Amino acid sequence: MDRLLAPGPTRVVGILNVTPDSFSDGGHHVADPVARGVALHAAGADLVDVGGESTRPGAGRVDAGEELRRVLPVVEGLVAAGVPVSVDTMRAATARAVVRAGAVVVNDVSGGLADPAMAATVAGLDCLYVLSHWRGPSDVMNSLATYEHVVREVGAELSGRLSAVVAAGVARERIVLDPGLGFAKTAEHDWSLLGGLAELERLGPPLLVGASRKRFLGSLLAGPDGTVPPPAERDAATAAVTALAAARGTWGVRVHDVPSSVAAVRVADAWRRATPPAVAPAVPAAAPAGLAAASS
Ligand code: PMM
């Protein structure tokens, strides 16, 4: 599991939403989620992120028992198949059950805010913890998208959560931070955060970026008549985000379409390796004595 944080190319985290109402796959993958997860891994996903609760804007909470009924058999099936598993949950009880079943990452979009027991629970588990920027549940988050300076404020709020979960006992070197694109953010905020990744990198932990098929890509790609392409038609734009994130060494990207992001990471990596190191500016030759005298 610590191998996931070793130096290396950007990790591709494949999304496996086991929900009837995920905005991005419409429940399309629910029929055989284990087979789908195995396929994502075979396509190059370093991790498969299993989620049993939709966090799309406006979504209500799913009952804790129902969430676990959705994700646990899938986690068990994927672990048995040798797939490294992450679980997208805001609940400590779910986190505990899935890590005991072999999941290696707890991906908490609420950064520990939705369940006060999350940080102390994760502290006692053998797993990585993805801590995302979050301001409130999906049914109210759009009303919380107010910032004076989004990069600075998201950075400060992430830093506060980082200190809180470390104080609760989570090992700092097992934490990944995520700016939480689309969570209490407008499209403009999402772009500012991508443009401001350097500032978030200064917080210390590795970063995960979850841009896949999100609304800000839809509005970017809108046609001249304002028609917004559906989520499944945003994969090329998602892969472009992956390439740009990978070019700057971002730790991971969370995506629906794994092959296009795996290709994007390879391109970024080859490009980086082919780029000659910056040449130090030439030391100016000492001016001839006569000239120095003439110009003084
Ligand atoms: N986005 C969604 C769900 N889980 N987890 C992390 N770490 N980062 C994200 O940006 C994120 C997430 C919502 O998107 P989905 O419904 O397509 O999964």
Side-chain angles (χ1 to χ4, degrees), residues 160-189:
R161 293 307 306 151
L162 178 62
S163 302
V165 303
V166 168
V170 181
R172 183 180 287 270
E173 59 279 7
R174 287 189 166 184
I175 295 173
V176 171
L177 297 180
D178 184 323
L181 300 180
F183 289 88
K185 321 277 182 322
T186 63
E188 202 184 325
H189 297 141

PDB file of all heavy atoms in Angstrom, residues 160-189:
ATOM      1  N   GLY A 160      -6.108  23.254   7.329  1.00  0.00           N
ATOM      2  CA  GLY A 160      -6.788  23.082   8.621  1.00  0.00           C
ATOM      3  C   GLY A 160      -7.241  21.648   8.826  1.00  0.00           C
ATOM      4  O   GLY A 160      -7.074  21.064   9.903  1.00  0.00           O
ATOM      5  N   ARG A 161      -7.809  21.060   7.780  1.00  0.00           N
ATOM      6  CA  ARG A 161      -8.266  19.667   7.885  1.00  0.00           C
ATOM      7  C   ARG A 161      -7.070  18.714   8.040  1.00  0.00           C
ATOM      8  O   ARG A 161      -7.123  17.733   8.773  1.00  0.00           O
ATOM      9  CB  ARG A 161      -9.100  19.264   6.661  1.00  0.00           C
ATOM     10  CG  ARG A 161     -10.425  19.966   6.523  1.00  0.00           C
ATOM     11  CD  ARG A 161     -11.262  19.858   7.772  1.00  0.00           C
ATOM     12  NE  ARG A 161     -11.434  18.468   8.190  1.00  0.00           N
ATOM     13  CZ  ARG A 161     -11.621  18.059   9.444  1.00  0.00           C
ATOM     14  NH1 ARG A 161     -11.622  18.916  10.442  1.00  0.00           N
ATOM     15  NH2 ARG A 161     -11.769  16.790   9.709  1.00  0.00           N
ATOM     16  N   LEU A 162      -5.992  19.025   7.320  1.00  0.00           N
ATOM     17  CA  LEU A 162      -4.790  18.195   7.412  1.00  0.00           C
ATOM     18  C   LEU A 162      -4.292  18.177   8.869  1.00  0.00           C
ATOM     19  O   LEU A 162      -4.040  17.110   9.440  1.00  0.00           O
ATOM     20  CB  LEU A 162      -3.721  18.760   6.458  1.00  0.00           C
ATOM     21  CG  LEU A 162      -2.364  18.078   6.421  1.00  0.00           C
ATOM     22  CD1 LEU A 162      -2.495  16.634   5.962  1.00  0.00           C
ATOM     23  CD2 LEU A 162      -1.411  18.832   5.469  1.00  0.00           C
ATOM     24  N   SER A 163      -4.213  19.357   9.469  1.00  0.00           N
ATOM     25  CA  SER A 163      -3.761  19.420  10.869  1.00  0.00           C
ATOM     26  C   SER A 163      -4.717  18.644  11.771  1.00  0.00           C
ATOM     27  O   SER A 163      -4.288  17.926  12.682  1.00  0.00           O
ATOM     28  CB  SER A 163      -3.701  20.867  11.368  1.00  0.00           C
ATOM     29  OG  SER A 163      -2.856  21.607  10.553  1.00  0.00           O
ATOM     30  N   ALA A 164      -6.028  18.764  11.506  1.00  0.00           N
ATOM     31  CA  ALA A 164      -7.005  18.101  12.378  1.00  0.00           C
ATOM     32  C   ALA A 164      -6.894  16.577  12.283  1.00  0.00           C
ATOM     33  O   ALA A 164      -6.919  15.892  13.310  1.00  0.00           O
ATOM     34  CB  ALA A 164      -8.418  18.556  12.009  1.00  0.00           C
ATOM     35  N   VAL A 165      -6.747  16.052  11.079  1.00  0.00           N
ATOM     36  CA  VAL A 165      -6.704  14.579  10.991  1.00  0.00           C
ATOM     37  C   VAL A 165      -5.360  14.046  11.492  1.00  0.00           C
ATOM     38  O   VAL A 165      -5.304  12.963  12.076  1.00  0.00           O
ATOM     39  CB  VAL A 165      -7.064  14.026   9.572  1.00  0.00           C
ATOM     40  CG1 VAL A 165      -8.441  14.495   9.142  1.00  0.00           C
ATOM     41  CG2 VAL A 165      -6.029  14.335   8.547  1.00  0.00           C
ATOM     42  N   VAL A 166      -4.300  14.832  11.309  1.00  0.00           N
ATOM     43  CA  VAL A 166      -3.001  14.406  11.855  1.00  0.00           C
ATOM     44  C   VAL A 166      -3.079  14.424  13.397  1.00  0.00           C
ATOM     45  O   VAL A 166      -2.613  13.496  14.060  1.00  0.00           O
ATOM     46  CB  VAL A 166      -1.853  15.287  11.310  1.00  0.00           C
ATOM     47  CG1 VAL A 166      -0.556  15.049  12.084  1.00  0.00           C
ATOM     48  CG2 VAL A 166      -1.638  15.017   9.817  1.00  0.00           C
ATOM     49  N   ALA A 167      -3.727  15.450  13.936  1.00  0.00           N
ATOM     50  CA  ALA A 167      -3.887  15.517  15.399  1.00  0.00           C
ATOM     51  C   ALA A 167      -4.710  14.329  15.913  1.00  0.00           C
ATOM     52  O   ALA A 167      -4.521  13.862  17.035  1.00  0.00           O
ATOM     53  CB  ALA A 167      -4.555  16.831  15.796  1.00  0.00           C
ATOM     54  N   ALA A 168      -5.602  13.822  15.062  1.00  0.00           N
ATOM     55  CA  ALA A 168      -6.429  12.669  15.470  1.00  0.00           C
ATOM     56  C   ALA A 168      -5.678  11.353  15.305  1.00  0.00           C
ATOM     57  O   ALA A 168      -6.222  10.293  15.611  1.00  0.00           O
ATOM     58  CB  ALA A 168      -7.724  12.649  14.665  1.00  0.00           C
ATOM     59  N   GLY A 169      -4.445  11.420  14.763  1.00  0.00           N
ATOM     60  CA  GLY A 169      -3.616  10.216  14.715  1.00  0.00           C
ATOM     61  C   GLY A 169      -3.340   9.647  13.328  1.00  0.00           C
ATOM     62  O   GLY A 169      -2.635   8.647  13.204  1.00  0.00           O
ATOM     63  N   VAL A 170      -3.869  10.273  12.272  1.00  0.00           N
ATOM     64  CA  VAL A 170      -3.592   9.763  10.925  1.00  0.00           C
ATOM     65  C   VAL A 170      -2.153  10.152  10.551  1.00  0.00           C
ATOM     66  O   VAL A 170      -1.746  11.306  10.750  1.00  0.00           O
ATOM     67  CB  VAL A 170      -4.587  10.340   9.884  1.00  0.00           C
ATOM     68  CG1 VAL A 170      -4.301   9.788   8.488  1.00  0.00           C
ATOM     69  CG2 VAL A 170      -6.027  10.027  10.291  1.00  0.00           C
ATOM     70  N   ALA A 171      -1.380   9.185  10.038  1.00  0.00           N
ATOM     71  CA  ALA A 171       0.021   9.477   9.684  1.00  0.00           C
ATOM     72  C   ALA A 171       0.056  10.440   8.493  1.00  0.00           C
ATOM     73  O   ALA A 171      -0.571  10.180   7.464  1.00  0.00           O
ATOM     74  CB  ALA A 171       0.738   8.176   9.325  1.00  0.00           C
ATOM     75  N   ARG A 172       0.774  11.540   8.654  1.00  0.00           N
ATOM     76  CA  ARG A 172       0.846  12.569   7.605  1.00  0.00           C
ATOM     77  C   ARG A 172       1.303  11.982   6.274  1.00  0.00           C
ATOM     78  O   ARG A 172       0.820  12.360   5.216  1.00  0.00           O
ATOM     79  CB  ARG A 172       1.822  13.665   8.075  1.00  0.00           C
ATOM     80  CG  ARG A 172       1.953  14.847   7.144  1.00  0.00           C
ATOM     81  CD  ARG A 172       2.936  15.855   7.702  1.00  0.00           C
ATOM     82  NE  ARG A 172       2.383  16.584   8.831  1.00  0.00           N
ATOM     83  CZ  ARG A 172       1.701  17.731   8.706  1.00  0.00           C
ATOM     84  NH1 ARG A 172       1.522  18.267   7.533  1.00  0.00           N
ATOM     85  NH2 ARG A 172       1.218  18.323   9.767  1.00  0.00           N
ATOM     86  N   GLU A 173       2.228  11.020   6.345  1.00  0.00           N
ATOM     87  CA  GLU A 173       2.773  10.470   5.091  1.00  0.00           C
ATOM     88  C   GLU A 173       1.820   9.500   4.407  1.00  0.00           C
ATOM     89  O   GLU A 173       2.131   8.949   3.371  1.00  0.00           O
ATOM     90  CB  GLU A 173       4.157   9.851   5.314  1.00  0.00           C
ATOM     91  CG  GLU A 173       4.231   8.729   6.324  1.00  0.00           C
ATOM     92  CD  GLU A 173       4.291   9.205   7.781  1.00  0.00           C
ATOM     93  OE1 GLU A 173       4.142  10.416   8.046  1.00  0.00           O
ATOM     94  OE2 GLU A 173       4.456   8.346   8.669  1.00  0.00           O
ATOM     95  N   ARG A 174       0.650   9.319   5.006  1.00  0.00           N
ATOM     96  CA  ARG A 174      -0.360   8.475   4.351  1.00  0.00           C
ATOM     97  C   ARG A 174      -1.558   9.292   3.870  1.00  0.00           C
ATOM     98  O   ARG A 174      -2.623   8.747   3.600  1.00  0.00           O
ATOM     99  CB  ARG A 174      -0.841   7.393   5.318  1.00  0.00           C
ATOM    100  CG  ARG A 174       0.206   6.331   5.522  1.00  0.00           C
ATOM    101  CD  ARG A 174      -0.356   5.186   6.288  1.00  0.00           C
ATOM    102  NE  ARG A 174       0.512   4.029   6.206  1.00  0.00           N
ATOM    103  CZ  ARG A 174       0.200   2.856   6.737  1.00  0.00           C
ATOM    104  NH1 ARG A 174      -0.943   2.701   7.363  1.00  0.00           N
ATOM    105  NH2 ARG A 174       1.024   1.839   6.614  1.00  0.00           N
ATOM    106  N   ILE A 175      -1.368  10.606   3.785  1.00  0.00           N
ATOM    107  CA  ILE A 175      -2.487  11.478   3.385  1.00  0.00           C
ATOM    108  C   ILE A 175      -2.237  12.049   1.987  1.00  0.00           C
ATOM    109  O   ILE A 175      -1.125  12.465   1.655  1.00  0.00           O
ATOM    110  CB  ILE A 175      -2.647  12.628   4.411  1.00  0.00           C
ATOM    111  CG1 ILE A 175      -3.043  12.039   5.772  1.00  0.00           C
ATOM    112  CG2 ILE A 175      -3.696  13.638   3.930  1.00  0.00           C
ATOM    113  CD1 ILE A 175      -3.062  13.046   6.897  1.00  0.00           C
ATOM    114  N   VAL A 176      -3.282  12.029   1.190  1.00  0.00           N
ATOM    115  CA  VAL A 176      -3.291  12.654  -0.137  1.00  0.00           C
ATOM    116  C   VAL A 176      -4.350  13.747  -0.075  1.00  0.00           C
ATOM    117  O   VAL A 176      -5.436  13.522   0.474  1.00  0.00           O
ATOM    118  CB  VAL A 176      -3.670  11.604  -1.215  1.00  0.00           C
ATOM    119  CG1 VAL A 176      -3.895  12.261  -2.567  1.00  0.00           C
ATOM    120  CG2 VAL A 176      -2.595  10.509  -1.325  1.00  0.00           C
ATOM    121  N   LEU A 177      -4.035  14.927  -0.613  1.00  0.00           N
ATOM    122  CA  LEU A 177      -5.018  16.021  -0.604  1.00  0.00           C
ATOM    123  C   LEU A 177      -5.678  16.155  -1.973  1.00  0.00           C
ATOM    124  O   LEU A 177      -5.063  15.841  -3.006  1.00  0.00           O
ATOM    125  CB  LEU A 177      -4.341  17.345  -0.231  1.00  0.00           C
ATOM    126  CG  LEU A 177      -3.726  17.430   1.162  1.00  0.00           C
ATOM    127  CD1 LEU A 177      -3.087  18.811   1.358  1.00  0.00           C
ATOM    128  CD2 LEU A 177      -4.770  17.167   2.244  1.00  0.00           C
ATOM    129  N   ASP A 178      -6.909  16.648  -1.966  1.00  0.00           N
ATOM    130  CA  ASP A 178      -7.678  16.785  -3.208  1.00  0.00           C
ATOM    131  C   ASP A 178      -8.443  18.105  -3.134  1.00  0.00           C
ATOM    132  O   ASP A 178      -9.133  18.355  -2.130  1.00  0.00           O
ATOM    133  CB  ASP A 178      -8.642  15.579  -3.288  1.00  0.00           C
ATOM    134  CG  ASP A 178      -9.439  15.526  -4.571  1.00  0.00           C
ATOM    135  OD1 ASP A 178      -9.838  16.585  -5.077  1.00  0.00           O
ATOM    136  OD2 ASP A 178      -9.701  14.408  -5.053  1.00  0.00           O
ATOM    137  N   PRO A 179      -8.333  18.944  -4.174  1.00  0.00           N
ATOM    138  CA  PRO A 179      -9.032  20.243  -4.110  1.00  0.00           C
ATOM    139  C   PRO A 179     -10.551  20.130  -4.200  1.00  0.00           C
ATOM    140  O   PRO A 179     -11.258  21.109  -3.992  1.00  0.00           O
ATOM    141  CB  PRO A 179      -8.478  21.014  -5.312  1.00  0.00           C
ATOM    142  CG  PRO A 179      -7.952  19.978  -6.252  1.00  0.00           C
ATOM    143  CD  PRO A 179      -7.501  18.827  -5.380  1.00  0.00           C
ATOM    144  N   GLY A 180     -11.065  18.934  -4.505  1.00  0.00           N
ATOM    145  CA  GLY A 180     -12.523  18.751  -4.519  1.00  0.00           C
ATOM    146  C   GLY A 180     -13.221  19.543  -5.617  1.00  0.00           C
ATOM    147  O   GLY A 180     -14.177  20.284  -5.342  1.00  0.00           O
ATOM    148  N   LEU A 181     -12.757  19.345  -6.841  1.00  0.00           N
ATOM    149  CA  LEU A 181     -13.360  20.082  -7.962  1.00  0.00           C
ATOM    150  C   LEU A 181     -14.862  19.809  -8.017  1.00  0.00           C
ATOM    151  O   LEU A 181     -15.293  18.653  -7.899  1.00  0.00           O
ATOM    152  CB  LEU A 181     -12.697  19.674  -9.294  1.00  0.00           C
ATOM    153  CG  LEU A 181     -11.190  19.920  -9.394  1.00  0.00           C
ATOM    154  CD1 LEU A 181     -10.663  19.467 -10.758  1.00  0.00           C
ATOM    155  CD2 LEU A 181     -10.841  21.389  -9.155  1.00  0.00           C
ATOM    156  N   GLY A 182     -15.647  20.866  -8.184  1.00  0.00           N
ATOM    157  CA  GLY A 182     -17.100  20.725  -8.285  1.00  0.00           C
ATOM    158  C   GLY A 182     -17.823  20.665  -6.949  1.00  0.00           C
ATOM    159  O   GLY A 182     -19.044  20.784  -6.900  1.00  0.00           O
ATOM    160  N   PHE A 183     -17.082  20.500  -5.856  1.00  0.00           N
ATOM    161  CA  PHE A 183     -17.712  20.452  -4.535  1.00  0.00           C
ATOM    162  C   PHE A 183     -17.699  21.866  -3.941  1.00  0.00           C
ATOM    163  O   PHE A 183     -16.631  22.347  -3.527  1.00  0.00           O
ATOM    164  CB  PHE A 183     -16.967  19.490  -3.603  1.00  0.00           C
ATOM    165  CG  PHE A 183     -17.142  18.037  -3.974  1.00  0.00           C
ATOM    166  CD1 PHE A 183     -16.285  17.437  -4.883  1.00  0.00           C
ATOM    167  CD2 PHE A 183     -18.176  17.280  -3.429  1.00  0.00           C
ATOM    168  CE1 PHE A 183     -16.444  16.102  -5.247  1.00  0.00           C
ATOM    169  CE2 PHE A 183     -18.341  15.947  -3.782  1.00  0.00           C
ATOM    170  CZ  PHE A 183     -17.482  15.354  -4.699  1.00  0.00           C
ATOM    171  N   ALA A 184     -18.848  22.512  -3.934  1.00  0.00           N
ATOM    172  CA  ALA A 184     -18.931  23.919  -3.522  1.00  0.00           C
ATOM    173  C   ALA A 184     -17.979  24.773  -4.367  1.00  0.00           C
ATOM    174  O   ALA A 184     -17.248  25.612  -3.836  1.00  0.00           O
ATOM    175  CB  ALA A 184     -18.646  24.085  -2.021  1.00  0.00           C
ATOM    176  N   LYS A 185     -17.969  24.524  -5.658  1.00  0.00           N
ATOM    177  CA  LYS A 185     -17.127  25.292  -6.591  1.00  0.00           C
ATOM    178  C   LYS A 185     -17.929  25.556  -7.869  1.00  0.00           C
ATOM    179  O   LYS A 185     -18.633  24.656  -8.349  1.00  0.00           O
ATOM    180  CB  LYS A 185     -15.864  24.517  -7.017  1.00  0.00           C
ATOM    181  CG  LYS A 185     -15.154  23.678  -5.965  1.00  0.00           C
ATOM    182  CD  LYS A 185     -14.237  24.437  -5.098  1.00  0.00           C
ATOM    183  CE  LYS A 185     -13.471  23.605  -4.076  1.00  0.00           C
ATOM    184  NZ  LYS A 185     -14.107  22.493  -3.408  1.00  0.00           N
ATOM    185  N   THR A 186     -17.761  26.732  -8.421  1.00  0.00           N
ATOM    186  CA  THR A 186     -18.286  27.006  -9.759  1.00  0.00           C
ATOM    187  C   THR A 186     -17.226  26.565 -10.765  1.00  0.00           C
ATOM    188  O   THR A 186     -16.086  26.232 -10.392  1.00  0.00           O
ATOM    189  CB  THR A 186     -18.530  28.511  -9.958  1.00  0.00           C
ATOM    190  OG1 THR A 186     -17.249  29.169  -9.850  1.00  0.00           O
ATOM    191  CG2 THR A 186     -19.474  29.070  -8.898  1.00  0.00           C
ATOM    192  N   ALA A 187     -17.573  26.625 -12.049  1.00  0.00           N
ATOM    193  CA  ALA A 187     -16.603  26.277 -13.095  1.00  0.00           C
ATOM    194  C   ALA A 187     -15.366  27.168 -12.973  1.00  0.00           C
ATOM    195  O   ALA A 187     -14.228  26.699 -13.088  1.00  0.00           O
ATOM    196  CB  ALA A 187     -17.246  26.418 -14.470  1.00  0.00           C
ATOM    197  N   GLU A 188     -15.603  28.443 -12.714  1.00  0.00           N
ATOM    198  CA  GLU A 188     -14.473  29.379 -12.593  1.00  0.00           C
ATOM    199  C   GLU A 188     -13.554  28.979 -11.435  1.00  0.00           C
ATOM    200  O   GLU A 188     -12.324  29.030 -11.551  1.00  0.00           O
ATOM    201  CB  GLU A 188     -15.052  30.776 -12.368  1.00  0.00           C
ATOM    202  CG  GLU A 188     -14.122  31.898 -12.742  1.00  0.00           C
ATOM    203  CD  GLU A 188     -14.753  33.246 -12.399  1.00  0.00           C
ATOM    204  OE1 GLU A 188     -15.992  33.377 -12.521  1.00  0.00           O
ATOM    205  OE2 GLU A 188     -14.003  34.133 -11.983  1.00  0.00           O
ATOM    206  N   HIS A 189     -14.161  28.577 -10.325  1.00  0.00           N
ATOM    207  CA  HIS A 189     -13.348  28.122  -9.180  1.00  0.00           C
ATOM    208  C   HIS A 189     -12.529  26.882  -9.555  1.00  0.00           C
ATOM    209  O   HIS A 189     -11.353  26.768  -9.183  1.00  0.00           O
ATOM    210  CB  HIS A 189     -14.248  27.776  -7.976  1.00  0.00           C
ATOM    211  CG  HIS A 189     -15.015  28.943  -7.440  1.00  0.00           C
ATOM    212  ND1 HIS A 189     -16.312  28.838  -6.995  1.00  0.00           N
ATOM    213  CD2 HIS A 189     -14.658  30.240  -7.278  1.00  0.00           C
ATOM    214  CE1 HIS A 189     -16.723  30.030  -6.568  1.00  0.00           C
ATOM    215  NE2 HIS A 189     -15.744  30.900  -6.733  1.00  0.00           N
TER     216      HIS A 189
END
